[in-house]
């Protein structure tokens, strides 16, 4: 999910190379090691801090430990204010040592994937790698021993244990850091170093890739504070970055990210790819409405056809080949194969032209669809239950990485019947736990 946002972050405001903030620059005056900078660069003496705390404590004076803690906390606040004087949390300075370490690590990782990358690209510069190649690159990067993610739907993180332990420590307030690598479909590699100081979390992000046969260097690096974060029981790391906000920018910037740490089971991953990935929550209402064999009238069959076509034939539906509509036989055979509805009922529920013997179809566009963060969610199967009648009920959760970064925006139960030949039918869907409050009113592709 998180990889969908990389385009903006690599190209826009957060891609600015930050300058290094340093104390005690030559010619900038004399600052002793016991002095610190307060808000707006004001000089604060550690002696003054101790004096200000002299009246604190049960005996009228703070203990040495209390004063020491106060001085330490004030130094931390002053250092943070000086590094980010406007409190924006993005475009933060990058320590020279951190920068050099990130560049060196990225170079080592690109060396590891060099053979696979150049053999696949064969001189092409704009090619998007297939999933198999991305997984091959991931396998090469994981040999570093660091957690490694792949920008492929339902992909598991390799070496995830270290990231899992780090985030659990962070939940307990223990400081630390963890590097996670990410492999993208264009062959680039991202290095994400998460740093937790016991209170705040930051991410130092770097991205690098080959250019032709040469090392092109790190093409992007940023240091950003994480505004909010959570590590869910399912193992999703959800967080919101500090990003530019109005009036600094004229458009809303979405800083929400979500990253799978704990792996899916093989069964859930395969069922997700087979039964729900191509449907999604955008452009049809099969997964985001309540229905069963006795209540089929509300499904948007005219819109649903193209998604079932992709599931059946494993290729996109070419709607322009049917300017007059989809022939009745083709439409009814496909819909009735996947849903418990008769051809007679279809003609009642769907937009059907009896005279021309065709079902209407229209492409999804700005005139028949209002974009929403819910619509971009990825459905994933999280549990499988076999029923006594031979059917299977899949627990499906909508993983959303826009605006509301949530690994289960809605939870629904999808009942499916699997056939001996490997085919299957959808038999019903039920949204659980009042999840429909997050589902916007469905907009039918064609007016009903």
């Amino acid at each position: 999910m998180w990889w969908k946002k990389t385009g903006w972050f690599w190209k826009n405001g957060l891609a600015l190379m930050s300058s290094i903030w340093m104390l005690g620059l030559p010619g900038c005056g004399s600052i002793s090691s016991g002095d610190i900078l307060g808000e707006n660069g004001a000089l604060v003496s550690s002696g003054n801090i101790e004096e200000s705390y002299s009246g604190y404590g049960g005996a009228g004076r703070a203990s040495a430990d209390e004063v020491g803690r106060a001085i330490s906390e004030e130094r931390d606040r002053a250092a943070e204010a000086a590094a980010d004087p406007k409190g924006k949390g993005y475009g933060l300075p990058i320590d020279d040592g951190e920068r050099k370490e990130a560049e060196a690590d990225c170079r080592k990782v690109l060396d590891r994937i060099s053979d696979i990358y150049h053999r696949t690209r064969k001189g092409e510069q704009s090619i998007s790698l297939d999933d198999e190649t991305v997984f091959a690159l991931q396998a090469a990067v994981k040999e570093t021993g660091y957690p490694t993610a792949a920008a492929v739907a339902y992909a598991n993180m390799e070496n995830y244990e270290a990231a899992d332990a780090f985030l659990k420590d962070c939940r307990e307030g223990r400081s630390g850091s963890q590097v996670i690598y990410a492999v993208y479909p264009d062959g680039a590699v991202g290095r994400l170093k998460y740093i937790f100081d016991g209170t705040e979390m930051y991410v130092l992000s770097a991205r690098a890739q080959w250019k032709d046969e040469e090392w092109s260097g790190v093409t992007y690096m940023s240091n950003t504070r994480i505004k909010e974060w959570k590590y869910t029981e399912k193992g999703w790391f959800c967080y919101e970055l500090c990003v530019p906000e109005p009036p600094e920018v004229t458009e809303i910037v979405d800083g929400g990210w979500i990253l799978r740490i704990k792996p899916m089971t093989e069964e859930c991953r395969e069922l997700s790819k087979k039964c729900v990935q191509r449907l999604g929550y955008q452009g049809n209402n099969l997964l985001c409405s309540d229905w069963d064999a006795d209540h089929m009238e509300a499904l948007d069959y005219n819109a649903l056809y193209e998604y079932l076509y992709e599931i059946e034939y494993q290729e996109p539906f070419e709607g322009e080949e049917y300017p007059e509509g989809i022939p009745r036989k083709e439409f009814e055979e496909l819909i009735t194969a996947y849903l418990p509805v008769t051809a007679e009922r279809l003609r009642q529920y769907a937009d059907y032209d009896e005279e021309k013997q065709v079902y209407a179809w229209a492409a999804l566009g700005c005139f028949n669809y209002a974009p929403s963060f819910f619509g971009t969610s990825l459905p994933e199967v999280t549990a499988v239950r076999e029923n006594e009648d031979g059917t299977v009920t899949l627990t499906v959760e909508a993983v959303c990485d826009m605006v509301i970064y949530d690994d289960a925006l809605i939870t629904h139960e999808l009942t499916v019947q699997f056939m001996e030949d490997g085919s299957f039918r959808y038999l019903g869907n039920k949204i659980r736990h009042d999840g429909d409050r997050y589902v916007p009113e469905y907009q039918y592709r064609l007016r009903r």
Side-chain angles (χ1 to χ4, degrees), residues 94-321:
I94 301 174
D95 177 78
D96 190 47
E98 290 282 4
R99 184 185 298 279
K100 291 179 179 179
E101 179 184 71
E103 291 175 345
D105 285 353
C106 285
R107 179 58 188 265
K108 291 176 183 177
V109 167
L110 287 193
D111 286 342
R112 284 183 176 273
I113 68 171
S114 176
D115 290 344
I116 300 172
Y117 176 81
H118 291 112
R119 184 171 63 249
T120 303
R121 302 287 276 197
K122 296 178 181 178
E124 296 288 339
Q125 291 303 306
S126 60
I127 187 172
S128 180
L129 305 177
D130 58 29
D131 291 353
E132 183 179 353
T133 303
V134 174
F135 284 133
L137 296 178
Q138 181 190 26
V141 176
K142 84 168 188 176
E143 295 303 317
T144 62
Y146 287 100
T148 306
V152 176
Y154 310 118
N156 284 336
M157 177 179 286
E158 300 288 354
N159 303 328
Y160 78 93
E161 294 87 353
D164 176 59
F166 164 71
L167 290 169
K168 287 178 178 177
D169 282 345
C170 292
R171 282 197 307 206
E172 298 299 320
R174 290 189 285 271
S175 60
S177 64
Q178 179 62 53
V179 170
I180 296 177
Y181 286 105
V183 179
Y184 302 108
D186 63 352
V189 174
R191 179 186 183 272
L192 305 168
K193 184 174 183 178
Y194 297 95
I195 303 169
F196 185 63
D197 63 9
T199 303
E200 301 283 0
M201 187 177 292
Y202 300 82
V203 57
L204 178 63
S205 304
R207 177 183 171 101
Q209 64 188 117
W210 291 101
K211 183 177 181 181
D212 296 326
E213 298 294 324
E214 299 180 358
W215 155 252
S216 63
V218 173
T219 58
Y220 160 83
M221 191 178 296
S222 72
N223 186 18
T224 310
R225 179 167 55 84
I226 294 176
K227 185 185 299 185
E228 295 180 352
W229 67 274
K230 60 184 176 181
Y231 186 43
T232 70
E233 292 303 316
K234 282 171 53 184
W236 283 92
F237 179 27
C238 311
Y239 60 91
E240 181 182 3
L241 291 170
C242 293
V243 296
E245 298 178 1
E248 185 176 356
V249 292
T250 57
E251 296 181 356
I252 299 297
V253 178
D254 178 21
W257 284 57
I258 183 166
L259 175 62
R260 183 194 306 281
I261 305 296
K262 294 180 182 177
M264 295 180 75
T265 66
E266 185 66 24
E267 180 182 35
C268 287
R269 181 167 60 251
E270 290 305 315
L271 287 172
S272 296
K273 291 163 65 176
K274 182 173 185 176
C275 299
V276 298
Q277 181 180 11
R278 291 179 183 269
L279 289 173
Y281 301 101
Q282 179 175 281
N284 74 89
N285 61 345
L286 191 143
L287 298 181
C288 56
S289 61
D290 291 340
W291 62 273
D292 56 33
D294 297 323
H295 303 87
M296 303 289 295
E297 64 277 2
L299 289 179
D300 190 353
Y301 298 99
N302 298 85
L304 189 56
Y305 181 85
E306 67 176 283
Y307 300 92
L308 296 180
Y309 182 97
E310 289 192 23
I311 292 174
E312 176 68 15
Y313 300 107
Q314 300 295 300
E315 63 182 22
F317 172 67
E318 303 294 344
E320 60 271 15
E321 296 180 4

